[in-house]
Structures are given as structure tokens and as C-alpha cells.
Amino acid sequence: MDARIYKPRKTAMQSGRGKTREWVLEFRSENARFADPLMGWTSINDTTGQVRMHFETREQAIDFAKREKLTFTVDEPREPKRLVKSYAQNFSPDRKQPWTH
């Protein structure tokens, strides 16, 4: 069974860093989805794709995957680039675009 270990990024709707400090192990579903012939709903036979496990550290997630003999990949988090700006830069004489009303 294949698993993915990653640290979730904040969504566009978040201003804070809630739910982004933990590492997540989620299983990749290998079975294809199919339409249920009776109701027409999308179904899948393998429910492990719905399982998400949260760990405090990357090492805990890797140890769990090794202990359960899972094949896994680790996606390293990328730190966002911070643009440090101040309100005074809007009125700076070195501004690239001229300030107009």
C-alpha cells in the first residue's frame, strides 16, 4: 500500500497557521472510481483513501510507515517567501510606479 507523508499548507481562506503544524500520512487509493449502477453515485471499493493520520513530527510519521511496512514518499514543505513592506514605501521617492490620486 502506498502512502504520502506531507505537512499541509494553509488554504487561501486562512490567515493564520491553524492545522498546518502537524504532519499528515494519507493513503493513495489504487482502485479506480466507478459509477454505482443503481443510484449513479461515484463509488470506490478501497476506503483507505479516506484515512488521514496526523503526527506531531516527520520522524513519527516515517517510523509508523516503516513499522507497518508501507511504501511511502515524503513531500518536504516549502516555506513561503515573505515580502517585507511598510506603509511608508507607498510614498517613497524611489517608487517604481509614480503615485497618483
Side-chain angles (χ1 to χ4, degrees):
M1 194 174 296
D2 194 23
R4 176 180 169 223
I5 299 172
Y6 65 98
K7 194 169 186 180
R9 298 184 63 125
K10 71 181 191 113
T11 65
M13 300 303 291
Q14 287 178 312
S15 60
R17 293 183 174 240
K19 298 184 182 178
T20 61
R21 300 190 197 292
E22 295 180 331
W23 287 83
V24 177
L25 182 141
E26 71 178 15
F27 296 100
R28 294 191 179 144
S29 181
E30 299 167 355
N31 296 338
R33 297 175 188 266
F34 63 93
D36 184 67
L38 180 62
M39 298 296 288
W41 295 340
T42 302
S43 300
I44 193 165
N45 289 335
D46 186 16
T47 58
T48 57
Q50 301 171 359
V51 176
R52 278 190 178 169
M53 301 179 74
H54 297 271
F55 298 91
E56 291 182 11
T57 64
R58 176 179 174 254
E59 287 75 26
Q60 288 177 343
I62 292 172
D63 290 341
F64 175 82
K66 287 180 180 177
R67 186 172 57 242
E68 296 297 321
K69 296 180 177 67
L70 300 172
T71 57
F72 63 92
T73 57
V74 178
D75 296 339
E76 295 296 330
R78 291 182 293 165
E79 292 299 320
K81 294 179 184 175
R82 300 278 179 184
L83 298 176
V84 179
K85 292 183 179 182
S86 69
Y87 182 69
Q89 288 178 344
N90 291 334
F91 307 102
S92 171
D94 299 342
R95 189 177 160 103
K96 293 180 182 177
Q97 298 172 343
W99 185 78
T100 60
H101 291 341

